[in-house]
Amino acid sequence: MDSRYYPGVEADVFKLVSELRSIFDQDYEVQTMHVASTTVVQARKSSTLRDLTGLSAALTIRITPEAGGTRVDIGMQKWLDKAAIAAVAVLLSAGLLAAVPALGAYWQYKLTEDAWKIVEGYMSRKTGGYVPPRTGRCGSCGAAHPAGSAFCSSCGAKL
């Protein structure tokens, strides 16, 4: 799961969720849940045929207002299932079906990238421009770090 922290941005969670839901067409099942201060949006496109071919897509987006900013986490179904299905497809079809799981992996990657574009666009509009990481703080998780550190001691992100 990829995590980004937007310091100094108090997102209107309901507006952001509304924008995020716009990337899912009628083929997706979408549900929104509120757990404590975190809002979770889950979307999936699944059927037996999609599950067998590795083309089912699942995406989870968590939006958490935190002290001094907003954290957004986006994760998708692991691509490992695509690799396993690709291996079986290669064995059974001499490589002809190997493109099917690769296509599913690409669709999931594209969906995640589209979600990040919406989040980044919303945060930019909310602040009137680019949201830089807070000085002395990790741009990914917001944790404080000593000057000169190359990596965050909390999440390991490159500073």
Side-chain angles (χ1 to χ4, degrees), residues 43-113:
R44 70 178 184 167
K45 184 184 276 193
S46 185
S47 68
T48 304
L49 180 60
R50 287 181 171 277
D51 292 338
L52 290 175
T53 59
L55 293 176
S56 61
L59 185 69
T60 300
I61 304 168
R62 289 191 316 229
I63 305 164
T64 309
E66 295 182 356
T70 303
R71 172 174 315 287
V72 179
D73 303 297
I74 300 178
M76 63 183 141
Q77 182 180 7
K78 292 182 182 179
W79 290 5
L80 184 59
D81 64 333
K82 308 299 181 271
I85 291 170
V88 171
V90 168
L91 291 174
L92 295 178
S93 68
L96 296 177
L97 294 178
V100 173
L103 184 59
Y106 169 75
W107 284 343
Q108 287 184 347
Y109 170 79
K110 175 103 172 70
L111 187 60
T112 301
E113 288 302 307

